[in-house]
Amino acid sequence: MDQPAISDYGFLSDCRSGALVGRDGSIDWWCPDRFDGRAVFGRLLDPDAGHWRLVPAAAGHAGHRVERAYLPDTLVLRTVHHTPEGSVAVTDALAAETGARGHELGMNSPAVLLRRVEGLTGRVRMTLDFAPRPDHGLLTPYLHERPDGSVLAAAGSVLLELRAAGVPLRAGRDRVEVEFDVAAGQTVYFSVGYGAAYGNPPVRLDPAAGLAETVQAWQAYRETHEYDGRYPEVVRHSTVVLTGLTYARSGAVAAALTTSLPEWIGGDRNYDYRYSWLRDFAMTMRALWVAACPSEASRLFAWAARSVGRVGDEPVPVLFGLEGERDISEHESTHLRGYAGSRPVRVGNDAWRQRQLDVPGEVISAVWRLRDYLGDTLDEELREMVVGLAEQVAGTWHLPDRGMWETRDTERHYLSSKVLCWVALDRAVRLAPRLAGRGDPVRWAAIRDEIRATVLREGWNEEVGAYTGAFGSTELDASALFLPVVHFLPATDPRMRATIAVVERELSDDTGLVRRWNTDPAGFLLCSFWLVECLVMAGERERAEALFERVTGYANDVGLLSEQIDPRTGAQLGNTPQALSHIGLINAAWRLTDPTTA
């Protein structure tokens, strides 16, 4: 199937939902109710699952050229189309609430897509093709022309209202198709508002004022954050992307905007990443700390504590819905053909059922990192969460699990899981003075030391000359690069230095991309940034800088990173934009700024 490359897409967000717009002017993904909702534009996963295309009629022909950029410190995207007849700019945004500033961004987003067309030179013929298909493409709406010139699309629980300023709209049987001319100096606005068939109708905004408000809201938000480290431009932009993946009502950060974009074209490792992973917690907190975002960190802590609830004997789920939902059972959408024919297409993620022993370590480590923002005594919910997680680790660390890569085969004694169990108890011991007398730091310290001795004894494989992915295994795993990052071992430790060298030799090449394991066909960006951090901590700053710049070079033309990169072609793979990739970038940039950072 002929589909745009993953890197062809730009990301729009209102911190409630997100949309993807291609270089071809087509909005191919939008779940308007919230990030993990049902798509009304789903062409990303099937050519017939809905889109909204707005592009010069000459697009794709000789002489058509595209330039794109975000307006500074925003997720408002401006695309300039150069054609033989002239040039035109299309500016796309998901509207912010009127008057929203700073941390109000996304709290009450109106769920309105805004598109502005500006004639720059000459006279350009434009084409609009509006073909919504709600419920991930299962529904074809009825289209109703209204007296004021708008078109209402209604199907199932969804209402969409298409409005235009200065262009007559005509509804066909299942889509709106319009052609119009834009001359130099002329401006035309379009909007699509989302509403509920049995609830609130779509919000109507003045599109010019709405676009200006949205730009101001993003820029005001960014003005409240300062970053004074190296590579400030890419760090600031990655922080904007993380903000765009934040579900403002709860503070949860979605792992990605999309579901089922394949780790390899034609493969079946296609998962739904539109949820919030506790595993990502410490890395996210570290990135927010680097980017000076304490308010976001505090809200994310509150979300985590309430989502986890009181910790009992059952393993804490690795991921939750954006408002703390625990059961996000997975099913296959068999009617969708998948990105470039890659099936299955999944909605939901059954990893929530897995035992993953690394999760408590990530969460407690995040609390430790932001301890100074959280006060000398943690609030009750956070305190109970830390104690409960530490006790769970103390009682279960010796069990096998699925590991941080969420394998769907047998459980094993994964190295990274054991190391994160050590992290959980190490940080819990350090937090003990802030736990108001709760917990048992003496016992925790003893178990922590036992875990460390076990990892050092069982994790090293003499045959391979490295720490391997699981106890007793000869298979390398790039997650071993995490050991210096969490300060389990210094990067200069002889065995750790040997591990870094073996991972570089066996799991990487001159592209700078690091695969997670030998059979992984693509480079995993987070692991590549871990290697940057390891090289810095090993004293190889020049190599680290060169690697950082090479890896960040895989971002697309508007600075977005997906999950993985095809080392043969440089093509982006996996769900996009990927929070962990941007988190890895931020943290690696800060390590290059301050090698001693915790």
Side-chain angles (χ1 to χ4, degrees):
M1 288 160 45
D2 183 19
Q3 285 189 267
I6 292 170
S7 59
D8 280 352
Y9 287 104
F11 171 43
L12 312 177
S13 175
D14 58 7
C15 297
R16 162 182 173 169
S17 66
L20 293 180
V21 55
R23 291 174 63 86
D24 63 356
S26 184
I27 295 177
D28 290 347
W29 187 252
W30 187 34
C31 303
D33 188 44
R34 57 187 244 182
F35 292 113
D36 54 355
R38 312 290 289 182
V40 297
F41 302 133
R43 178 174 172 248
L44 183 72
L45 297 177
D46 191 298
D48 299 324
H51 63 272
W52 180 18
R53 194 164 184 255
L54 181 60
V55 71
H61 296 89
H64 178 231
R65 182 168 54 87
V66 175
E67 297 175 303
R68 302 188 298 178
Y70 285 110
L71 301 188
D73 287 332
T74 77
L75 289 179
V76 177
L77 184 64
R78 187 173 187 264
T79 303
V80 178
H81 297 272
H82 300 283
T83 76
E85 291 74 33
S87 298
V88 65
V90 179
T91 302
D92 295 315
L94 272 166
E97 181 188 10
T98 301
R101 295 292 183 271
H103 296 285
E104 298 171 353
L105 180 64
M107 290 295 188
N108 294 289
S109 298
V112 176
L113 272 168
L114 299 172
R115 311 193 79 173
R116 179 179 67 196
V117 183
E118 302 170 89
L120 302 179
T121 64
R123 188 176 189 86
V124 180
R125 188 74 169 169
M126 298 291 294
T127 296
L128 180 147
D129 181 9
F130 174 73
R133 298 293 183 265
D135 205 0
H136 291 319
L138 285 171
L139 297 172
T140 301
Y142 292 101
L143 300 178
H144 306 282
E145 294 180 10
R146 307 178 83 180
D148 63 358
S150 64
V151 173
L152 191 68
S157 62
V158 172
L159 292 178
L160 296 172
E161 184 181 42
L162 172 65
R163 301 175 67 212
V167 174
L169 300 176
R170 295 289 179 265
R173 184 175 181 275
D174 65 350
R175 65 186 60 216
V176 176
E177 292 182 286
V178 177
E179 289 198 350
F180 60 97
D181 291 331
V182 176
Q186 184 181 1
T187 301
V188 180
Y189 286 92
F190 298 91
S191 66
V192 168
Y194 161 80
Y198 307 105
N200 295 325
V203 173
R204 287 190 162 193
L205 296 177
D206 176 275
L211 188 59
E213 283 278 351
T214 301
V215 172
Q216 291 177 38
W218 277 104
Q219 292 179 340
Y221 184 87
R222 290 304 313 144
E223 286 172 1
T224 64
H225 305 83
E226 293 294 334
Y227 170 77
D228 58 1
R230 299 196 61 192
Y231 303 100
E233 290 187 7
V234 292
V235 168
R236 283 180 67 85
H237 183 59
S238 287
T239 307
V240 172
V241 173
L242 284 183
T243 302
L245 290 170
T246 300
Y247 182 69
R249 294 178 182 178
S250 67
V253 177
L257 180 65
T258 57
T259 178
S260 299
L261 292 187
E263 296 181 7
W264 195 254
I265 301 300
D268 62 358
R269 288 182 59 84
N270 317 322
Y271 300 116
D272 193 345
Y273 279 10
R274 299 172 301 153
Y275 308 104
S276 193
W277 266 251
L278 287 182
R279 172 184 301 108
D280 304 350
F281 204 74
M283 288 179 280
T284 305
M285 287 296 103
R286 184 176 166 214
L288 293 175
W289 171 75
V290 164
C293 306
S295 295
E296 290 89 331
S298 297
R299 295 187 63 238
L300 187 51
F301 274 125
W303 169 84
R306 289 169 187 159
S307 298
V308 170
R310 291 195 179 276
V311 180
D313 295 331
E314 291 297 312
V316 175
V318 66
L319 70 155
F320 293 88
L322 300 177
E323 293 183 358
E325 300 89 347
R326 180 167 291 210
D327 185 343
I328 48 176
S329 296
E330 180 179 303
H331 69 273
E332 295 182 11
S333 293
T334 55
H335 67 288
L336 295 172
R337 285 174 275 182
Y339 178 83
S342 302
R343 283 177 162 171
V345 173
R346 294 180 169 99
V347 175
N349 196 311
D350 274 344
W352 76 273
R353 305 176 189 273
Q354 295 183 355
R355 176 166 60 213
Q356 297 181 21
L357 298 176
D358 60 313
V359 173
E362 299 284 8
V363 177
I364 299 175
S365 176
V367 178
W368 170 250
R369 179 172 301 282
L370 273 295
R371 60 196 180 277
D372 291 338
Y373 290 113
L374 299 172
D376 292 335
T377 302
L378 304 183
D379 67 44
E380 182 180 2
E381 288 184 355
L382 199 54
R383 184 170 67 242
E384 292 302 311
M385 181 179 72
V386 169
V387 173
L389 291 174
E391 286 296 329
Q392 187 172 99
V393 168
T396 63
W397 72 270
H398 59 282
L399 298 175
D401 73 334
R402 300 287 183 179
M404 69 161 50
W405 307 130
E406 300 176 0
T407 59
R408 297 196 173 193
D409 53 8
T410 188
E411 293 185 336
R412 296 180 175 85
H413 291 282
Y414 284 100
L415 177 80
S416 58
S417 297
K418 304 305 184 189
V419 169
L420 266 298
C421 287
W422 174 87
V423 169
L425 294 180
D426 180 72
R427 301 331 186 242
V429 169
R430 296 169 188 248
L431 285 167
R434 300 169 189 253
L435 298 178
R438 299 279 286 114
D440 191 348
V442 174
R443 182 170 58 90
W444 292 345
I447 298 172
R448 173 199 63 191
D449 295 344
E450 182 184 357
I451 296 171
R452 179 180 177 81
T454 302
V455 170
L456 295 176
R457 182 179 66 251
E458 304 293 337
W460 175 260
N461 187 289
E462 194 66 41
E463 177 186 348
V464 178
Y467 290 103
T468 54
F471 291 177
S473 172
T474 59
E475 185 175 358
L476 286 171
D477 191 315
S479 63
L481 297 174
F482 205 41
L483 272 63
V485 175
V486 297
H487 299 283
F488 181 85
L489 279 175
T492 52
D493 174 89
R495 285 187 168 186
M496 193 63 238
R497 192 65 191 90
T499 300
I500 296 168
V502 172
V503 167
E504 270 199 280
R505 184 177 68 246
E506 301 295 332
L507 299 183
S508 187
D509 54 30
D510 57 6
T511 66
L513 300 168
V514 179
R515 294 172 292 126
R516 286 171 292 181
W517 49 77
N518 279 316
T519 57
D520 198 1
F524 200 84
L525 285 166
L526 176 64
C527 297
S528 303
F529 287 121
W530 282 347
L531 179 56
V532 171
E533 293 202 59
C534 286
L535 291 176
V536 174
M537 290 185 283
E540 299 186 54
R541 174 176 289 276
E542 289 187 7
R543 289 187 61 216
E545 290 173 350
L547 178 60
F548 179 86
E549 291 167 11
R550 194 155 64 246
V551 174
T552 55
Y554 289 107
N556 71 358
D557 59 321
V558 290
L560 300 179
L561 292 167
S562 65
E563 181 181 30
Q564 293 184 261
I565 302 293
D566 183 339
R568 301 170 306 170
T569 65
Q572 294 193 1
L573 295 168
N575 287 302
T576 194
Q578 179 76 13
L580 274 183
S581 297
H582 288 277
I583 288 165
L585 182 156
I586 294 169
N587 290 336
W590 187 250
R591 184 73 69 182
L592 284 161
T593 302
D594 181 4
T596 64
T597 187

